[in-house]
Structure formats: structure tokens, C-alpha cells
Amino acid sequence: MADLNGGSRAWSLISVLVLCGGLTACASATPPQRADFAIRNVHVVDTRTGAVLPDRTIFIDGQRITAVTDGTTGQTALTEIDGLGGYAIPGLWDAHVHLLGDDADAALRVARVWLSFGVTHLRDMGSSAAALNSFRKAAPPDLSPALLASGPTLWTFELPYGDKAQQRIVRDIPEIRAAVDEAVASGADFIKVYAGFDADRLAALTKAAERSGLRVAGHAQSDIPLDVQASLGLRTVEHFEASTFQGCGVDPDPYFERIIGARFRASGETIPDILNAFVADLDRDTCLAAFRRAAGAGLAITPTLMGSFLPPSMARTLAASLSGDQREGCSGYLVGFGDDEAKADALYSSARNALMRLVLDSGMPILAGTDTPAFCSPAGSSLSSELALLSQSGLSPLAVLQAATLTPARVFGLSERFGHIEAGMDADIVVLPTNPLSDVTAYADPDGVFWQGRWRDKAELRRLRTAELD
């Protein structure tokens, strides 16, 4: 197609030159460029400023945006797409998922479900190396989001449960270096650190990763303040866990143990009460200063509120729509909230908002991630729920949009291709039915997605969602 188009354009130009007697005499008569695609009748949302450019046309050649115009241009396209007056944003990121595990075939079936909700990029936070390589070889590019993946996660101790193919035990610095080499050889995009690292081993890990051009992401390590972990080279911290608040003037470990007791040992306490006590005991000034130092050192956070701070009423609603192991896991999440659901919702949200305020005031970049399929997070649709929770936690509408578009593109070093819509960027476009800057529910059911040189309208996106059952 590209060669044929190029040939026809060349012959058209020759004809003009013959008729006009030369390029200078007839420059204004040069015919307009003909793009491969034009998405017309859309309002383009600028993820950098929050401006909305009305009634735009996005022209695309292959997989690259060539122009964003006001619709008055005479430019034409081989394929015309009606955006139906929707709002065009960049493709969405879910920056914390567990897609692969050790089953590439299952991942292939479910990946397209994410795509059907406008998620064009996933960051997989732990899998076997075999599953990662099998998925990448078999995944159809236009049916799967782009994948950043860690391969096996790194621990300093072995658990009595879990799939050992998804874990790598590293007890000393030589083993750490060997694990990084293995990750590079397996095609990992970053290193995922899980638990048990002291400062020396964390420093050795980040240095080995940096030498190989990889970043380190993962859980905050116990007994190391978060700003120190950032200074040692941790680049994203995952979840709102007790250990995330190391260095905030209070030991979080006893609170974590109390939460475990409430959920698994019928201790009689409720999780919302425990978390509000934790918030009250934090030294806010000390914590904010540490978070600002962490942000200054280059740390971003993926709160995964769907896994860490999902209100019980929302979890109960989601549980009814889930099946199998995930429904059981969601039901287990609901243990420890007490009998008064409305009170639990209010207290849980209060603790969440107080902790999120520390992050917002520190200026630390926030990434949208769902921890799917953990607890109550269904593939694809959970991202719109996560964005709603971020909104409820105090993020502005623009900050919510950026958490799933511009910020991950910047944090992962891909902002020259993804994260906003303009000429020269990759054609990674989601059209929403309403303006996400005024309606946080706009993300739930896109009108269309342009990805990997292909447009899918709402009807086709909905058909993709049945693929999980194929």
C-alpha cells in the first residue's frame, strides 16, 4: 500500500510540473497529501495542558500521526473514520498488572480484553521467563497492548507457596548480578524487586540493572526509608502498603501485622480503624519531607488502589460479576471490614485520601495501575475503576488522565512516541464518548481505538471482550 501510494503521488506531481512549466510557477497547485487514515470530528484533549482542541481531524500514515488539523484543510485520506464528536486521548496504560504468570496461552486470550477498553500499554509485574518469551512470539500486535515486562521477581528468601518459575532467589551480590544478566538475556524490560533486600543488596541490584540499561521497580523494602530506597536507585514503588511509609516517623510493621490479624485471624479489629490509627500516628511533616526527597531522586509511585484501598461496597459489587478463583479472592478481600459497610467505606476512604495527599503534596509522579487480577480487579475494565478511585482520592481530572497516559510514557522513557497527540507521535489513540476532564466515567466504554495501524469501533471493541471466553 505504501509503495502504490508513493507512486501515485509521484505521477501526480509530474503532471502538475508539466502543466505549470516548473515547480516555482505552480507551487500553490501541488495537490494535497493523501494520508492512510483520517479520524474526523473529534475533540483532541491535550494531556500536557488540559486544553481541548475542538472539531479536529487526525491524519495518520501507517502508525504515525502526520497532522492534527481544524478540519478546513483539503487533505484527504484513503480511509475516513467518523469520531462521532468524541474526545481523542492517547492510548491508556495499566502500569501494574499480572498478565503472564506462567501461562502464555491464557495471557494471549485475555490481552485483547485490555485493548477493548482502550488500554494499549501494560506493565507486567512478574512472570516466568518462558511465558514472557512465548507471549512475545505469539501475540498479534494489533490484538495485544504493548508489553513492558520484568520476568521473574527477585526475592532474598524462598516462600513455601507460589510458582517458583516466577521467582528468582538472590542471597548475595554475585547472585544478584547473575539474576540481572538472566533477566537481560530473557528480554526483560526492567527488574522487579519483591522482598527481603537490605540497603547493600538493593544498591548492588540497582547498579547491576543500570549497567544493563534497566530500571528497578517493586515493593518498598522494610527498614529502609522510602527516600533512601529512591537514592539507591528504586525508580517506581508499587502499592500503598505499610512498608511504603517507612521513614514517616512510625514503624509500619505492627500495623501491617494488625491488618493481617483482622483479615485472617479474626482479631476483632477492623482494617479501616487500623489504617486510620496508622494515619494519625504518622509524622506528616517528616513523611512529606521524605516523599519530596524520594520524588527529587526520581521515584514514581503506582498506588494500585484497586488492590490496596478498594472500598468494601465497591468490592461487593464487583464480586457479584466475577467468577471462579477471582470471585473467591474478591470475597476474601471483604474480610476484616466489620458489619457496618457505610462506616467502613467512609473510614477507608478517609485513610486513603490522607495518604494520597502526602503523595500529591510531595510532587511524586503517580502511575495508574490495577494489580489485575488480584482481589477484585477484572481485566481491562478495572482501569476505569482505578481512575475513578484516583479522582476520589484528590487527583484533578487532568492528573487522573496523565496518570494513565503522559506520566507513564515519561517515567518509562517513551514520551517521544506516546503520551500525547500531535504530529510525529505514534498513532495510539482512544476516542471517548465524553470529556474525561469533566466526566471520570468517560474511560469505561470507549467509542473507538486506533492501535497498530487499525481502527476498531465500539461494536468491535465489545466483541473483543468475549475473547477471554474463547
Side-chain angles (χ1 to χ4, degrees), residues 236-240 244 291 299-303 359 364-368:
T236 71
V237 62
E238 310 301 313
H239 311 304
F240 258 13
T244 309
F291 273 38
L299 187 68
I301 187 167
T302 319
V359 176
M364 191 182 300
I366 296 171
L367 307 173

Side-chain angles (χ1 to χ4, degrees), residues 288 371 398 451:
L288 181 57
D371 207 14
L398 179 57
W451 174 242

Side-chain angles (χ1 to χ4, degrees), residues 98-116:
H98 295 273
L99 169 69
L100 295 171
D102 198 29
D103 191 343
D105 291 337
L108 288 167
R109 292 193 300 273
V110 77
R112 64 192 66 185
V113 178
W114 260 288
L115 185 63
S116 78

